[in-house]
Amino acid sequence: MAESYDFIVVGGGPSGASLAAGLAKEPSLKILLLEAGGDNANMAHMAAGNRYSTFITAEGYNWMHESTPQTNLADKKLNYSAGKGLGGGTSINFACYTRGPAEDYDAWARITGDEQMGWKAAQARLNRAETMHAPPKEFEKYCKPAEGAHGRNGPIDVSYDNLDEGCKDIMERGRAFGYKANLDLNSGDEIGFGASPSSAAHGIRTTSAAMLKNKPNNLVVRTHVRVDKVLMEGKRAMGVETADGNKILAIREVILCAGALLSPHLLLLSGIGPAKDLSVHSIPVVHDLPGVGQQHRDHTFTFITVTADPNITKPQHDLSEEALKQWQKDQTGPMKDNHCPAAMAYLKTKEIENSQEFKALDKAQQTHITEPGRPNWEILSNMPPFIPGLSPTDTHTFVIAFMNPLSVGSVTLRSANPADPPLIDPKAFDHPFDRRVAIESMREALTFLDTLQAKYIIAPGDRSDGAIWKYLQENILSMWHSSSTVAMGAPDDPLTCLDTDFKVKGVQNLRVVDCSAIPLMISAHTQAPAYAVGAAGAQKVLQNYGFGVET
């Protein structure tokens, strides 16, 4: 006889772990969390100072997806790393912990007509999830989280651990250039120059596995279990089938939290999605839902590397084999002490709003982009070089990231074989406005970096549109912030896949609770939004069943 649980949660990333932990607060429920990867508990891969290479060096932590050839990038394929194992993306990301602007969450609430998706509700959920470690007193001029706006008792550590002098120097340059100082980038107002909080403390990365620490007995977690499809009886979800052919039944519901690439993949494998796409692979149509996988959004970024400015403290990146061995031995040394935060700014650029590409947008798009708290781009300092052979201490590398893309891509099936990865086509820079944002943001970033006493090592050949665009085509990367592939939306929108309770439209006992559900691209690194989604999902489920537990 098949085993059964009240709820089966598929995926142990930030949304899945947050959701499962929230549901398990109701002791009468039996929860099963299934994760395709391992427990990701190896301390060798938890050094915050080594966070930029974990996605490569931690074997088994990464699904290692890549995109289809991108027409606008000279057929380049983009790396689409996705976290595998407990922690999901929080096990391999760069540990930047940003919530995003209040305007984005409030827009989500407006789109769906549900105030529980708005900023105040999201802020409360994130406060419960985090423990914010205050920055050192000597850095309060540069970062000072607002009192009462952050959590102090949650499982996720957020800190300004080992904030170094180089970050301070860059923030001073930003202020001198005329950018607004922002002492708390996670207050809901992220415009301006500040310090990036990190999901780490005391030199150790914090992942969503922390949500499952000291879990109650009614929550069962199983790793190395790949779910291949949702078991359906008509249009009712009955359970899941795993890669070894095992069937597990859900008394109440199946909830997919596999991320914005694999949740739509699982729906499609289960016969839920655009009928025309399913028929290509001879998958019987359980429910024709046109929007599944069809609204993929993502952030992209590039980098600029310069020689070290003698007036700016050198980056403290010791990535040597000796440093790694010392960390693996006793969790001390440079890998612990390497700074976690970066000088970070979210910015608006007036040339973008003056462009013909902006003027060609419809009124709703223009209004969305020009809201005061919504940035056009982001800059991050103190990164290690992206090109092998460059010294991590004698150069400064800056990341330039582009917000609020209008290009919309897709996640579809490669085949009917669950072991085959999905086809990911972000259609990067398909929209002319996205190209204009990238060009103007790069031009302003270069003007700002001209204030350094440094020489450009890796940068566009000149400041013309053509030279900048050529550089971008050669040096664009995905930020792995995929969103919106099984999105909420207006009830009359044919591409809406979920209602505001995360329930899949037209199907019973099935929800999707991860960044797939977000109907717009939040201007943030997406781990914090993913935690907020998981907590919102738990709250909605418990409310639907009449439980009064706070998540």
Side-chain angles (χ1 to χ4, degrees), residues 70-78 300 428-429 469 472-474 476-477:
Q70 294 300 288
T71 302
N72 298 304
L73 303 177
D75 287 336
K76 177 181 179 178
K77 293 182 180 180
L78 297 175
T300 55
F429 296 97
W469 178 239
L472 289 167
Q473 286 182 304
E474 295 169 352
I476 276 288
L477 299 164

Side-chain angles (χ1 to χ4, degrees), residues 49-381:
N50 201 32
R51 65 199 179 279
Y52 299 116
S53 61
T54 307
F55 76 101
I56 298 170
T57 59
E59 186 176 354
Y61 281 41
N62 191 345
W63 286 99
M64 294 298 291
H65 298 312
E66 68 175 8
S67 76
T68 59
Q70 294 300 288
T71 302
N72 298 304
L73 303 177
D75 287 336
K76 177 181 179 178
K77 293 182 180 180
L78 297 175
N79 176 293
Y80 265 88
S81 288
K84 185 178 184 181
L86 294 182
T90 64
S91 295
I92 64 168
N93 64 13
F94 291 179
C96 295
Y97 188 90
T98 55
R99 294 175 170 186
E103 284 91 337
D104 282 350
Y105 293 91
D106 289 341
W108 184 355
R110 285 196 304 274
I111 290 167
T112 61
D114 186 346
E115 286 304 311
Q116 290 192 57
M117 298 295 107
W119 167 248
K120 287 185 178 179
Q123 184 182 39
R125 292 175 187 127
L126 289 169
N127 286 354
R128 290 192 290 271
E130 72 183 23
T131 290
M132 169 61 78
H133 299 261
K137 289 285 185 183
E138 61 267 27
F139 281 100
E140 287 188 349
K141 177 183 175 184
Y142 304 99
C143 55
K144 188 176 183 181
E147 284 296 323
H150 301 276
R152 291 290 186 266
N153 300 297
I156 305 303
D157 286 308
V158 181
S159 80
Y160 299 88
D161 221 9
N162 296 317
L163 186 66
D164 73 9
E165 293 293 324
C167 289
K168 183 190 76 171
D169 295 339
I170 296 295
M171 285 185 274
E172 288 283 9
R173 295 299 181 92
R175 293 179 180 188
F177 190 73
Y179 292 133
K180 181 183 83 170
N182 190 330
L183 301 185
D184 185 2
L185 290 168
N186 278 340
S187 66
D189 172 13
E190 66 181 11
I191 298 295
F193 236 109
S196 164
S198 295
S199 51
H202 314 300
I204 300 174
R205 176 196 288 270
T206 299
T207 78
S208 63
M211 290 276 187
L212 307 173
K213 189 177 181 181
N214 302 320
K215 65 180 181 60
N217 292 333
N218 64 327
L219 171 56
V220 176
V221 177
R222 291 185 189 160
T223 56
H224 299 293
V225 180
R226 191 187 79 210
V227 172
D228 280 359
K229 69 180 202 177
V230 179
L231 295 172
M232 303 295 298
E233 187 175 280
K235 295 195 177 187
R236 180 188 298 270
M238 303 300 292
V240 298
E241 182 174 329
T242 62
D244 60 3
N246 188 31
K247 293 178 172 61
I248 308 172
L249 301 182
I251 298 168
R252 296 178 187 259
E253 296 185 24
V254 174
I255 307 178
L256 303 184
C257 305
L261 301 178
L262 292 182
S263 283
H265 190 240
L266 264 174
L267 287 176
L268 293 166
L269 289 168
S270 306
I272 301 167
K276 59 182 177 58
D277 292 347
L278 299 173
S279 63
V280 170
H281 301 288
S282 301
I283 295 174
V285 178
V286 171
H287 181 56
D288 182 11
L289 192 57
V292 172
Q294 296 304 301
Q295 300 190 80
H296 178 273
R297 293 177 175 86
D298 187 23
H299 292 136
T300 55
F301 77 98
T302 191
F303 50 90
I304 299 170
T305 299
V306 301
T307 57
D309 182 330
N311 299 309
I312 294 177
T313 306
K314 287 186 176 183
Q316 303 300 306
H317 297 295
D318 185 345
L319 307 178
S320 66
E321 191 68 27
E322 292 75 16
L324 181 57
K325 286 179 179 177
Q326 185 174 347
W327 169 266
Q328 291 172 338
K329 178 184 177 183
D330 56 13
Q331 284 79 62
T332 63
M335 285 292 178
K336 179 180 185 296
D337 297 333
N338 283 355
H339 75 86
C340 282
M344 170 187 273
Y346 286 96
L347 302 166
K348 298 177 82 72
T349 296
K350 63 182 180 180
E351 284 76 13
I352 292 171
E353 293 180 25
N354 293 333
S355 70
Q356 291 302 312
E357 290 86 351
F358 175 82
K359 293 173 183 177
L361 301 178
D362 64 39
K363 186 67 175 176
Q365 289 172 321
Q366 290 182 351
T367 299
H368 181 87
I369 288 160
T370 55
E371 284 196 87
R374 187 169 285 120
N376 301 130
W377 61 289
E378 171 192 0
I379 185 168
L380 267 167
S381 76

Side-chain angles (χ1 to χ4, degrees), residues 80 260-261 296-298 424 480-484 515-516 521 526:
Y80 265 88
L261 301 178
H296 178 273
R297 293 177 175 86
D298 187 23
I424 304 163
W480 315 332
H481 290 174
S482 293
S483 301
S484 308
C515 287
S516 306
M521 190 79 245
T526 47

Side-chain angles (χ1 to χ4, degrees), residues 427-540:
K427 293 184 169 55
F429 296 97
D430 221 33
H431 199 291
F433 180 71
D434 294 350
R435 297 194 287 275
R436 178 51 53 195
V437 168
I439 289 168
E440 297 298 347
S441 301
M442 281 290 285
R443 192 146 38 217
E444 182 166 319
L446 289 162
T447 303
F448 166 61
L449 295 179
D450 285 344
T451 65
L452 306 181
Q453 292 183 29
K455 295 180 180 179
Y456 290 99
I457 301 172
I458 304 170
D462 59 52
R463 308 295 167 87
S464 68
D465 283 10
I468 293 174
W469 178 239
K470 182 177 185 295
Y471 180 83
L472 289 167
Q473 286 182 304
E474 295 169 352
N475 294 287
I476 276 288
L477 299 164
S478 164
M479 294 190 84
W480 315 332
H481 290 174
S482 293
S483 301
S484 308
T485 49
V486 192
M488 293 181 183
D492 59 350
D493 185 340
L495 294 180
T496 294
C497 297
L498 306 176
D499 68 14
T500 59
D501 290 336
F502 297 90
K503 294 177 180 178
V504 178
K505 286 179 60 178
V507 178
Q508 293 176 286
N509 301 349
L510 181 62
R511 305 192 201 216
V512 176
V513 180
D514 56 32
C515 287
S516 306
I518 305 174
L520 73 163
M521 190 79 245
I522 291 184
S523 299
H525 296 255
T526 47
Q527 65 167 319
Y531 283 121
V533 167
Q539 183 180 24
K540 293 280 194 173

